[in-house]
Amino acid sequence: MAFQKAVKGTALIGGGAIATVFGLSQFSQYRNKHGTFVQVQAAEAVTVPIKNHFPTREQQILALQTTGEFDVLVIGGGATGCGCALDAVTRGLKTALLERDDFSSGTSSRSTKLIHGGVRYLQKAIMKLDFEQYKMVKEALEERANLLEIAPHLSAPLPIMLPVYKWWQLPYYWFGIKLYDLVAGSQCLKSSYVLSKSRALELFPMLRKDELVGAIVYYDGQHNDARMNLAIALTAARYGAATANYTEVLRLLKTTEAASGKERVCGVRCRDVLTGQEFDVKAKCVINATGPFTDSVRKMDDQEVPNICQPSAGVHIVMPGYYSPDNMGLLDPATSDGRVIFFLPWEKMTIAGTTDSPTDVTSHPIPTEEDINFILNEVRNYLSVDVEVRRGDVLAAWSGIRPLVTDPNSKDTQSISRNHVVTISDSGLVTIAGGKWTTYRAMAQDTIDAAVQAHDLKAGSSKTIGLQLQGAEDWSPTLYIRLVQDYGLESEVAQHLASTYGDKAYEVAKIAQVTGKRWPIVGKRLVSEFPYIEAEVVYGVKEYARTAVDMISRRTRLAFLNVQAAEEALPRIVDIMGKELNWSEQKKKEELEAAKKFLYYEMGYKVKSDQLTDSSEISLLPSDIERYKKRFHMFDKDKKGFITILDVQRVLESISVQIAENTLHEILNEVDLNKNGQVELNEFLQLMSAIQKGHVSGSRLAVLMKTAEENLRQRGVIPVDRSGGGL
């Protein structure tokens, strides 16, 4: 009864306000329906031929070296830079793009994976009567609809629950979410709705029950950000853009105009990072789309120019999938420090984030223990007491740097809007800064419009609304069934390939190796618990992957899902890439070390290691210490004070269990803190203490030793696969 009264009250409170915007929403719906018609026309208006396949990287480098002058040269291979290249090339402009690292290696691969208008920005727009914020939300919602349409294999609508714990908040949040629907107009993905307490717990059983009043569910989009970025880059390449990753801009080239005597940017001096070769690329217009590095490129043009970007770090963590329902996200609208936290299912795992704090610009941002614990504490506030939120369940963690546009009157980054700005310097350098992932296409359109006008380029209007990206053309939700039937792939692997490569999944399936098993017929997995297969490494090289880091983080998403699984897959990935790229043994060793360093610092492995160190405190009850000592001495028969692989093998042989020696090396190495090839008693007690605290989970050695103790009596089988535990 109380719930029904609250809903009725909500309707009364919000009814008048909604009536005032009804006329606006009707006009908005008409305009959006008209816009859909325009989308079809715009996509069909592209007169530039598209190639069936994109050129090799070597062909792209040659095109950069031999083309006399490009119309547009874009610096930066993130979402916005690749969007600029696609917009320019589909207008018929001769286009080049240079990225000093890999496509999407920076902020564009480290997002919350949402395609959204921004509920919190709409709230700010209403509370502060800020029309600019409103326009940004409106634009983002239009771009959200377009992005879901042009890459349906990489994106999908996602329901997000906003739990309510105070009665007065129900009408407040309901009104705000309904306005979000209204601003979207006919492009609203699905209408939001109110849930009773019982229904909310049915859909999200992990939710905290105490004082829960009900919940509101609304819809936004979700995508695979790095793969989406790559799809934009590959589409631009197929339309004829000379796009090259690992090509660093060293300086801007300038010429002096005879008539005015002014210096004008006319190209760049760049270096192929992989070969060391330097060369010039000339262009009528150079565009700076380097995200957090915007100001460094602007200072290549003018050392005295003031900074326009204020970088902000956002940390995310990944936890096992059982922390959230398969198809329902969660929004914490007001954290303990006023920020917003999302808790979302993604790739069968759970993403939680993000933080928002000022930072220095770096190519290698590192997640901090402080940020990870902040997110975990906020998650604990919303999950049931029955769900133990453990630090050890963090499978991966990363930090991304948002390139926010500086507001001179702002003292902190949290109040800065993500509106984008396009500036043109006196020498003609075009800079696009700010914005957000969802609006990359609109940002690119504005940038190329400005470039065309400023440099008098011969080009028509943008053609990218409704323009399908790589893999979308012949994709369908049932494509994976054909992959299973025609190639003999596992259903999970087939679904993964279809949702990652779209209609190009057939090309991956064709090169998949025969397993030699009855089923699956083809498709050898890189690691057992993830659907990534070896053929994807071969195909990834065709997609311009040139390092092991490219493969584990952006062609596959292993590093973002489970750093231990990524490390386990690395040797095989390096072997396959070595064959494809003719790497020497020394090069393979360097790649392996570089990838491990990436996992250690940038993907949260370091903060995992810090949970179990030589100085870790042992806080166990005396009875627990005695119990664990007895377990340890089952393996340390000689009372040496440590155990080795030989000790473990001897116990396993006594119970007729065989485990490969390299697997045993991995298991002991996880606990061997001083890396001396043996696990000492103190190290084992530190491990068990950390497990009890929840700082470490999924230790294979702990599981193996406990199970061995039981099997000495029962003679069972010892499992050694990684559990759901993590960092």
Side-chain angles (χ1 to χ4, degrees):
M1 181 66 70
F3 178 77
Q4 291 176 341
K5 287 181 179 179
V7 174
K8 289 178 182 178
T10 298
L12 289 172
I13 292 170
I18 290 178
T20 62
V21 298
F22 182 73
L24 177 63
S25 69
Q26 292 302 302
F27 171 73
S28 171
Q29 289 188 25
Y30 164 77
R31 198 183 84 173
N32 289 332
K33 288 177 181 177
H34 178 67
T36 304
F37 177 67
V38 174
Q39 286 183 17
V40 178
Q41 285 186 320
E44 292 177 348
V46 177
T47 57
V48 180
I50 185 169
K51 302 170 186 175
N52 290 328
H53 301 283
F54 42 87
T56 64
R57 183 179 181 277
E58 291 69 30
Q59 290 171 332
Q60 297 284 44
I61 292 291
L62 184 62
L64 290 168
Q65 293 172 334
T66 58
T67 301
E69 184 181 51
F70 289 95
D71 294 317
V72 170
L73 186 153
V74 182
I75 306 173
T80 304
C82 292
C84 287
L86 180 58
D87 192 286
V89 75
T90 50
R91 296 193 198 201
L93 295 170
K94 194 179 294 183
T95 305
L97 180 144
L98 306 178
E99 163 58 47
R100 73 175 175 184
D101 204 299
D102 185 29
F103 302 115
S104 195
S105 59
T107 306
S108 295
S109 63
R110 304 175 190 228
S111 73
T112 313
K113 323 304 178 193
L114 282 178
I115 310 170
H116 63 134
V119 173
R120 62 172 170 161
Y121 298 124
L122 182 60
Q123 180 189 30
K124 289 181 181 179
I126 296 170
M127 299 297 289
K128 298 180 181 180
L129 299 178
D130 188 337
F131 188 62
E132 287 301 313
Q133 290 267 20
Y134 168 79
K135 286 199 302 182
M136 186 191 71
V137 174
K138 179 67 178 171
E139 178 183 65
L141 289 171
E142 291 173 353
E143 292 301 321
R144 179 187 70 177
N146 182 66
L147 196 48
L148 289 166
E149 178 186 338
I150 64 176
H153 57 302
L154 291 169
S155 59
L158 175 71
I160 299 175
M161 182 182 292
L162 197 163
V164 179
Y165 288 90
K166 295 179 181 178
W167 283 108
W168 68 265
Q169 290 179 336
L170 198 61
Y172 175 76
Y173 286 134
W174 179 86
F175 174 61
I177 294 297
K178 278 301 174 187
L179 278 182
Y180 193 62
D181 290 349
L182 281 172
V183 173
S186 64
Q187 292 174 336
C188 177
L189 302 180
K190 288 184 181 179
S191 183
S192 58
Y193 53 91
V194 178
L195 292 174
S196 65
K197 175 179 179 178
S198 60
R199 182 62 176 149
L201 291 172
E202 183 181 336
L203 293 175
F204 208 117
M206 310 84 174
L207 205 57
R208 178 166 63 87
K209 305 172 185 177
D210 299 344
E211 300 179 358
L212 181 67
V213 172
I216 301 166
V217 175
Y218 74 99
Y219 287 80
D220 257 326
Q222 189 178 52
H223 69 153
N224 185 334
D225 52 3
R227 292 295 315 185
M228 185 73 80
N229 193 154
L230 183 65
I232 301 167
L234 296 178
T235 307
R238 287 180 61 198
Y239 274 108
T243 59
N245 56 352
Y246 294 104
T247 309
E248 181 181 12
V249 171
L250 303 175
R251 65 178 183 272
L252 301 179
L253 302 178
K254 293 187 176 181
T255 186
T256 303
E257 288 183 341
S260 64
K262 287 184 177 180
E263 279 195 332
R264 303 287 290 178
V265 174
C266 63
V268 302
R269 178 73 173 177
C270 61
R271 179 174 68 93
D272 184 339
V273 175
L274 302 181
T275 65
Q277 183 182 15
E278 294 185 12
F279 53 92
D280 292 342
V281 181
K282 298 290 185 69
K284 296 173 184 175
C285 172
V286 175
I287 295 174
N288 171 18
T290 53
F293 300 93
T294 292
D295 289 318
S296 63
V297 175
R298 293 175 72 238
K299 289 182 187 297
M300 288 183 184
D301 178 35
D302 179 2
Q303 281 289 338
E304 303 302 317
V305 72
N307 291 345
I308 64 170
C309 275
Q310 184 169 328
S312 167
V315 171
H316 295 81
I317 63 174
V318 167
M319 307 178 78
Y322 56 70
Y323 272 93
S324 66
D326 291 339
N327 194 37
M328 179 69 75
L330 187 73
L331 168 63
D332 177 356
T335 62
S336 56
D337 67 349
R339 293 184 276 198
V340 171
I341 289 284
F342 285 99
F343 195 62
L344 310 167
W346 184 69
E347 299 287 323
K348 298 188 177 180
M349 294 294 177
T350 302
I351 287 181
T354 179
T355 59
D356 188 357
S357 54
T359 185
D360 295 326
V361 176
T362 172
S363 299
H364 308 287
I366 297 171
T368 66
E369 185 64 22
E370 181 183 0
D371 283 328
I372 291 171
N373 283 322
F374 167 79
I375 296 171
L376 288 173
N377 286 332
E378 294 303 325
V379 168
R380 288 187 185 101
N381 291 337
Y382 273 86
L383 294 190
S384 168
V385 292
D386 297 332
V387 180
E388 183 185 358
V389 180
R390 304 181 297 180
R391 174 62 182 82
D393 281 341
V394 178
L395 303 169
W398 68 87
S399 176
I401 301 178
R402 304 183 190 92
L404 305 182
V405 180
T406 301
D407 177 356
N409 299 315
S410 174
K411 294 181 180 179
D412 65 286
T413 61
Q414 294 174 44
S415 63
I416 297 176
S417 168
R418 294 192 197 180
N419 281 330
H420 64 274
V421 294
V422 179
T423 64
I424 302 175
S425 71
D426 292 340
S427 61
L429 176 68
V430 179
T431 294
I432 171 67
K436 54 189 288 186
W437 222 120
T438 306
T439 59
Y440 86 90
R441 193 213 62 81
M443 293 165 64
Q445 179 179 325
D446 290 348
T447 305
I448 302 304
D449 283 346
V452 167
Q453 184 176 2
H455 292 270
D456 196 25
L457 303 175
K458 307 302 180 187
S461 59
S462 177
K463 308 291 194 299
T464 52
I465 296 179
L467 184 70
Q468 290 188 312
L469 299 181
Q470 167 90 349
E473 186 176 355
D474 294 319
W475 176 86
S476 74
T478 57
L479 184 148
Y480 79 95
I481 297 175
R482 288 285 306 277
L483 294 173
V484 174
Q485 294 176 336
D486 294 355
Y487 295 94
L489 287 161
E490 290 176 83
S491 180
E492 184 187 11
V493 171
Q495 289 179 43
H496 154 67
L497 294 181
S499 65
T500 301
Y501 304 94
D503 60 19
K504 303 302 177 187
Y506 293 111
E507 296 181 15
V508 182
K510 286 176 183 176
I511 59 176
Q513 285 187 311
V514 175
T515 63
K517 301 176 182 177
R518 182 183 62 80
W519 189 262
I521 298 171
V522 301
K524 291 184 178 179
R525 294 195 182 210
L526 289 167
V527 283
S528 60
E529 67 264 49
F530 289 95
Y532 301 109
I533 60 174
E534 293 182 356
E536 292 181 76
V537 182
V538 177
Y539 194 76
V541 172
K542 295 180 181 178
E543 293 181 319
Y544 305 135
R546 288 298 179 270
T547 70
V549 172
D550 296 345
M551 202 64 67
I552 61 174
S553 59
R554 294 175 287 273
R555 300 311 181 277
T556 73
R557 305 311 306 275
L558 259 178
F560 283 80
L561 296 171
N562 189 316
V563 290
Q564 288 180 279
E567 184 183 45
E568 188 177 305
L570 270 176
R572 184 59 186 144
I573 287 173
V574 169
D575 280 344
I576 297 171
M577 292 189 75
K579 290 178 183 177
E580 295 296 313
L581 295 169
N582 298 314
W583 286 346
S584 65
E585 288 301 314
Q586 179 60 30
K587 173 64 174 174
K588 287 164 67 174
K589 183 179 178 181
E590 291 171 359
E591 283 295 321
L592 195 60
E593 289 305 311
K596 287 182 177 180
K597 184 178 179 181
F598 168 79
L599 292 173
Y600 185 73
Y601 287 106
E602 296 185 50
M603 299 309 299
Y605 225 147
K606 181 181 185 300
V607 283
K608 173 257 185 183
S609 301
D610 291 344
Q611 298 303 306
L612 186 62
T613 64
D614 289 327
S615 59
S616 296
E617 180 184 355
I618 299 175
S619 54
L620 295 169
L621 295 173
S623 57
D624 288 334
I625 291 176
E626 286 305 311
R627 179 160 53 93
Y628 293 139
K629 278 184 177 180
K630 287 180 181 178
R631 185 175 299 168
F632 184 86
H633 288 138
M634 281 177 48
F635 289 78
D636 180 23
K637 291 287 187 183
D638 302 326
K639 309 293 184 186
K640 306 182 299 295
F642 61 85
I643 57 175
T644 65
I645 286 180
L646 293 176
D647 294 320
V648 177
Q649 285 177 327
R650 184 182 65 244
V651 173
L652 295 181
E653 286 172 4
S654 71
I655 55 176
S656 303
V657 172
Q658 290 186 337
I659 298 176
E661 187 172 336
N662 62 335
T663 303
L664 286 177
H665 271 292
E666 292 176 5
I667 291 172
L668 263 69
N669 193 52
E670 292 173 2
V671 185
D672 181 12
L673 301 176
N674 52 20
K675 305 303 177 188
N676 60 358
Q678 58 197 34
V679 175
E680 294 156 8
L681 174 60
N682 199 55
E683 290 175 324
F684 179 65
L685 293 177
Q686 286 172 333
L687 169 67
M688 301 313 297
S689 179
I691 289 173
Q692 280 199 8
K693 294 175 186 174
H695 294 170
V696 172
S697 62
S699 168
R700 290 187 282 179
L701 181 65
V703 173
L704 184 148
M705 292 179 72
K706 179 183 178 182
T707 313
E709 187 178 43
E710 297 169 352
N711 274 259
L712 282 172
R713 295 186 294 270
Q714 301 173 7
R715 296 295 191 271
V717 179
I718 300 178
V720 293
D721 287 341
R722 274 191 315 277
S723 75
L727 305 189

